[in-house]
Amino acid sequence: MRRSKWLWPTLGWTTLVCLLLMLTGFGWALKDSWLPESGIALPEPSAPEKATGGDWSGKTELYVTALGDSLTKGTGDATGEGYVDRVVERLAKEMDKPVHLVNNLAINGLRADQMADRLEEKGFATAISKADIVLLTIGGNDLFQVAQDGGSLAEGGDLSPELLLERLPGLRPRLETVMSKIRELNPTARIAYVGLYNAFYDLPQMLGASDVVAQWNDYAFALAKADGNATVVPTYDLFEFDLKKYLSSDHFHPNEFGYSRIADRIVQALQ
């Protein structure tokens, strides 16, 4: 009788103590989650990577500004279209919305250092600021300069892979400056940079130039990745695999077929 008298109170107090201990532990767990102390705070979620594609779903029309050298000018294309007009037309068809060319500001023979200066001009700045897409070719004239005494492009002039490699480190900052200035003028536009190719691939003494071109393009890829809303459109393989089919008679610029293939790749990159 005496045994049963103490049994139930003992069990009751034991149960109550266990319940209090459980509630205390639960409370401390909630405290760490709701009011974390310095040093034990839960880490913030990682920021998402910057988008590498333009989200134009909310836009009823798009605007394109083209910058660059003779490739953006369309030199070598007997039809006069070049790649820019083809991109505008095909992009409008693929995206099923109007695509307008704000301006084609390409200049034959333009180098990257000269473009950097041009970007300070009001006309360039205005056209870039209005664009959803900036098409860009630059660097070919920096890298493949021929001798001032009129060296022949078809013969390679005074060019050699060794000379190109020697020039490369001093030329890279020019491209970075151009990309940075474009981004300053337009923080949101998608930049599509058309990579370089070796127009002299069929000349035995210039086969090694492809390695230098690849290094230039790799640097452009790094700049595009750092930017987060830019892309490099590769072209080197088109010309190395079928140089005669895609080069014009001047042995440097694309012909209409070459420009058409470049346009296809740009449109694919922008979708």
Side-chain angles (χ1 to χ4, degrees), residues 187-209:
T188 60
R190 179 79 182 278
I191 301 172
Y193 174 76
V194 180
L196 300 187
Y197 57 87
N198 180 11
F200 309 109
Y201 188 72
D202 57 343
L203 302 178
Q205 68 272 25
M206 288 297 289
L207 288 175

Side-chain angles (χ1 to χ4, degrees), residues 52 134 136-138 175 179 190-197 213-237 262 265-270:
T52 55
V134 175
L136 175 64
T137 63
I138 201 68
L175 180 60
M179 296 284 283
R190 179 79 182 278
I191 301 172
Y193 174 76
V194 180
L196 300 187
Y197 57 87
V213 169
Q215 291 185 47
W216 174 277
N217 289 334
D218 285 344
Y219 185 65
F221 274 110
L223 292 176
K225 183 178 180 180
D227 177 86
N229 196 25
T231 189
V232 177
V233 181
T235 63
Y236 64 91
D237 58 316
I262 291 173
R265 290 196 170 183
I266 294 173
V267 171
Q268 290 172 0
L270 291 173

Side-chain angles (χ1 to χ4, degrees), residues 80 93 95 126 173 189:
K93 182 178 179 180
M95 303 193 74
T126 300

Side-chain angles (χ1 to χ4, degrees), residues 39-60:
I40 62 171
L42 295 177
E44 293 292 330
S46 300
E49 294 184 4
K50 294 181 180 178
T52 55
D55 181 11
W56 301 305
S57 56
K59 289 182 174 287
T60 58

